[in-house]
Amino acid sequence: MIPRHQTVLFILLLVASVLMGGLLWNQLRLAHRRLLQGQDSAPTQAPQVAPAEQATLMAANDADNTVEPRILSLPLPQNPEARARAVLGKLLDLYAAPDAAHPVPGGAGSIAQVFLVPIADAGGKLAPEGPELAVVNLTGAFAAGHPSGLETETLTVLSVCATLNANFPRVTQVRFLVDGQPRATLAGHADLTRTYLTAESAAPAAGDRP
Amino acid sequence: MPGRMFIPRPIPSQGAGSVSLPHSAGRLGYLARAWVLLLCAAVPVLGAQAPSAPAQRFVVLLDPAHGGDDPGAHLGPLAEKAYTLALSIRLRSLLMARGFAVVTTRDSDASVDSDRRAGIANNANAMACLSLHASESGSGVHLFVSSLAPIEARRFLPWKTAQAAWIARSLTLAGTIDSALSHASVPVALGRTALPAIDSMTCPAMAVEVAPDRSSNAQAGLDDPDYQTRVAEALAAALVEWRSEQRGDPQP
């Protein structure tokens, strides 16, 4: 026979455990929500008070497999990483438009983050104005919704690299992540495991004749 | 199962003049010596008239992209893996009818990773390697050569960038295929891309992506049999041209 006080103590401890579990789950949910809000805290739209500046968008065209420059006047933030995100966001807005020459759904929100990382020289030293690696973090929704095909995926990757090269001359290399993780391909074709050299995309990589 | 082909090798032949005189010939009379010398003189002539050893077969590798649990792009009711396999089978028939030895990376709906595809290509010692793709975007046929920077050929090459030593020849092959497709009135777009299977191949290699023909004069979908035939026959004609160029045959 279990004494009465032990039964009461067991019930109290059980109720306390359930309450603490619920409290913990709620805290976890709130923390996750805060994290997601923090991920999206970088501005996708520059404040309207920012002065308009010229940006070169290297826009892809599926019809002739080319990447052509389009110069637009955009209000851009001063922070280089936010600026890079805003420029690439505008590029993807062009692709999400109904009459796009390179239709890709998603738009500006598809660029989760852009990180600009200095590249050390052969001696391991970082020059103040040295070359940089751009890490472009795409959203999983963008990769999932991207049309599958060698040409369309290659053009997306090349146009992102070429746009970064046109607006940020110090960016010499580009790597892609999807939802913060490395991914084999964009939508089954374009290799996202390699580091892209912006010099390759600046050359007439698409549409060149052998 | 990857296709396996028997490639006949030419049988090494002895030199036409390697006939030894019998030791006892010296003891024969002048008449016998004259007969032996006449026989020796006739051997090269006979050798020249003998049928030559069969020339080494010209191997083409066809790589239907995707397969198994990787369907590739969705082309309406059809998956890219099924379209590329059908194109590969059709192209293989055309090429074999033209005397090519054809090796394929898959003959069924099987998963084959990119390293395995490149391994099959490299073991086949192919003279042309085509990775076949299909897409709903763009128009006509898209030809892609590896975006690796060209390097000099070396005895040992890094696996992931082995194609770098073959870029010049791959670009020449792309030019030949471009000409043949244009001759068949198929719109062509050329480009460079990073595709792991091709980047590891040690042969003139390229990706061929077939898209619907959206040119103003001839609209044709991927499922149009006439369009499929036109593309396959143009590719076969391009490879015949490529074989002629590689062997130095006189152009017709």
Side-chain angles (χ1 to χ4, degrees):
Chain A
M1 184 68 184
I2 300 172
R4 184 181 174 82
H5 72 275
Q6 283 189 352
T7 306
V8 171
L9 184 64
F10 175 76
I11 291 170
L12 284 175
L13 285 173
L14 187 65
V15 169
S17 299
V18 170
L19 284 175
M20 285 174 67
L23 189 67
L24 196 63
W25 182 82
N26 191 45
Q27 290 294 323
L28 189 68
R29 193 170 56 85
L30 291 174
H32 186 244
R33 188 181 294 170
R34 275 199 304 273
L35 187 67
L36 289 180
Q37 283 172 348
Q39 269 192 344
D40 207 25
S41 60
T44 53
Q45 298 292 327
Q48 292 302 313
V49 292
E53 295 177 59
Q54 283 199 338
T56 305
L57 305 182
M58 301 299 287
N61 187 338
D62 286 354
D64 54 4
N65 194 28
T66 55
V67 177
E68 297 289 343
R70 283 182 65 177
I71 298 172
L72 297 180
S73 189
L74 304 171
L76 294 172
Q78 290 303 308
N79 178 279
E81 291 178 342
R83 194 181 179 86
R85 188 182 180 212
V87 170
L88 293 182
K90 185 65 185 174
L91 178 72
L92 296 193
D93 273 342
L94 292 181
Y95 296 159
D99 55 346
H102 176 64
V104 180
S110 304
I111 305 287
Q113 288 120 346
V114 178
F115 302 103
L116 301 178
V117 185
I119 300 172
D121 61 13
K125 291 181 180 174
L126 295 172
E129 296 294 319
E132 289 181 325
L133 164 75
V135 181
V136 180
N137 186 20
L138 302 167
T139 62
F142 176 75
H146 197 291
S148 181
L150 201 50
E151 185 201 43
T152 181
E153 293 175 44
T154 301
L155 283 177
T156 297
V157 168
L158 285 180
S159 68
V160 167
C161 294
T163 299
L164 285 170
N165 181 64
N167 296 281
F168 304 90
R170 286 173 58 197
V171 172
T172 57
Q173 300 178 13
V174 182
R175 282 196 69 94
F176 291 90
L177 300 174
V178 176
D179 281 341
Q181 300 292 323
R183 184 177 163 119
T185 62
L186 180 54
H189 296 86
D191 185 8
L192 293 191
T193 60
R194 61 168 285 193
T195 301
Y196 285 87
L197 303 177
T198 53
E200 290 175 4
S201 58
D208 58 350
R209 319 296 289 185
Chain B
M1 193 184 82
R4 278 184 278 177
M5 302 298 301
F6 172 70
I7 304 169
R9 296 172 187 279
I11 301 164
S13 57
Q14 289 184 332
S18 62
V19 176
S20 58
L21 287 170
H23 189 66
S24 59
R27 292 195 292 270
L28 297 177
Y30 288 112
L31 190 63
R33 283 186 180 219
W35 183 82
V36 170
L37 286 171
L38 186 65
L39 186 66
C40 289
V43 165
V45 177
L46 292 172
Q49 289 175 342
S52 58
Q56 192 166 3
R57 306 276 305 270
F58 195 93
V59 182
V60 171
L61 177 109
L62 298 179
D63 172 29
H66 310 288
D69 54 2
D70 173 16
H74 296 288
L75 313 170
L78 202 63
E80 185 183 358
K81 64 176 183 178
Y83 189 91
T84 57
L85 184 59
L87 177 61
S88 167
I89 290 168
R90 180 185 289 237
L91 190 52
R92 182 176 62 183
S93 302
L94 292 172
L95 292 174
M96 290 179 81
R98 287 160 173 77
F100 287 90
V102 181
V103 177
T104 55
T105 54
R106 67 180 178 97
D107 294 326
S108 61
D109 184 15
S111 290
V112 185
D113 66 27
S114 57
D115 284 346
R116 175 85 180 126
R117 290 173 195 269
I120 293 168
N122 297 347
N123 284 325
N125 201 19
M127 298 299 286
C129 300
L130 302 184
S131 179
L132 304 174
H133 294 258
S135 172
E136 281 286 358
S137 61
S139 177
V141 174
H142 313 137
L143 304 177
F144 283 95
V145 175
S146 169
S147 58
L148 293 169
I151 60 165
E152 291 290 322
R154 287 182 235 140
R155 184 169 174 80
F156 295 103
L157 295 163
W159 176 260
K160 290 198 168 193
T161 58
Q163 176 61 203
W166 295 79
I167 291 294
R169 290 185 68 191
S170 297
L171 287 168
T172 311
L173 173 62
T176 304
I177 294 180
D178 177 23
S179 301
L181 287 166
S182 301
H183 187 69
S185 304
V186 177
V188 187
L190 287 139
R192 308 285 293 270
T193 193
L195 201 63
I198 288 199
D199 286 352
S200 299
M201 287 181 181
T202 54
C203 53
M206 57 188 312
V208 179
E209 185 179 63
V210 184
D213 183 354
R214 296 191 170 95
S215 55
S216 55
N217 54 346
Q219 302 271 335
L222 283 172
D223 55 350
D224 184 336
D226 290 341
Y227 180 53
Q228 292 175 3
T229 304
R230 202 150 41 104
V231 170
E233 292 199 339
L235 290 173
L239 288 167
V240 170
E241 174 78 14
W242 176 247
R243 179 174 60 183
S244 300
E245 288 173 14
Q246 296 303 299
R247 285 183 173 168
D249 290 352
Q251 299 299 312

